[in-house]
Amino acid sequence: MTANRIVLSSDPSGIQLRQAIAGHIAEQGWVVVDIGPTTPESTHYPKHGEAAARLVASGDCRFGIVLCGTGQGIMMAANKVKGIRCGVCGDTFSARMIRQHNDANMLSIGMRAVGEGLALDIVDAFLTARFEGGRHATRVEMIEALEG
C-alpha cells in the first residue's frame, strides 16, 4: 500500500521541522515513514537523501520529503538515485509546478530558508498538485533518458 506512504528524512538540523511536517501530513491521512535522524549528533546529509530516495525509487513510498539547511545538498544526493526527480522549493508556486510539470516524486526544503508555516504550505502545494502529462510527459521522459 504505497499510494499513501511518504518517507521523511533530514540532516540533524532539520529534525524539528521534519517532525512538524510528519504530524501535519499524518493528520491528512498520509502514512509517514520517518527514517531520521533522531538525535542532533552530526551526520552526513547525502546518506539521508540517498536513503529516502531509495525508498521512493523502490516503490515502497509514493513520495519523499527531505530537509537540510538550504535543501540543496540533500536534494543533490537524492537526485543521484535513478528514478528520482527532487526539487528544492522555498515557495508554494514552485512546489506545485514541480509536481504539475516535472512529475517530481520528492520535495526538498531548506529549513534555514523557510519557517514552519511556509514549509507546511509548501508541502501541501506539493502533495495536492497533480502531474499534467501531455507535453510535460515527453519532457519527463527526456529527463529519465539522461539516467542511462
Side-chain angles (χ1 to χ4, degrees), residues 38-115:
T38 58
T39 61
E41 286 79 38
S42 181
T43 60
H44 301 291
Y45 63 79
K47 294 164 78 172
H48 301 294
E50 176 192 8
R54 293 214 181 276
L55 288 174
V56 175
S58 72
D60 188 53
C61 293
R62 180 172 177 195
F63 294 120
I65 301 172
V66 292
L67 303 95
C68 70
T70 64
Q72 299 292 345
I74 202 163
M75 176 271 301
M76 290 178 190
N79 277 324
K80 295 296 183 181
V81 175
K82 186 174 183 172
I84 296 303
R85 288 175 306 284
C86 182
V88 177
C89 295
D91 60 86
T92 58
F93 175 78
S94 297
R96 208 172 25 258
M97 295 306 287
I98 66 170
R99 286 286 307 125
Q100 289 177 346
H101 288 192
N102 308 118
D103 198 19
N105 49 16
M106 290 187 70
L107 169 67
S108 182
I109 298 173
M111 56 77 51
R112 291 185 181 139
V114 300

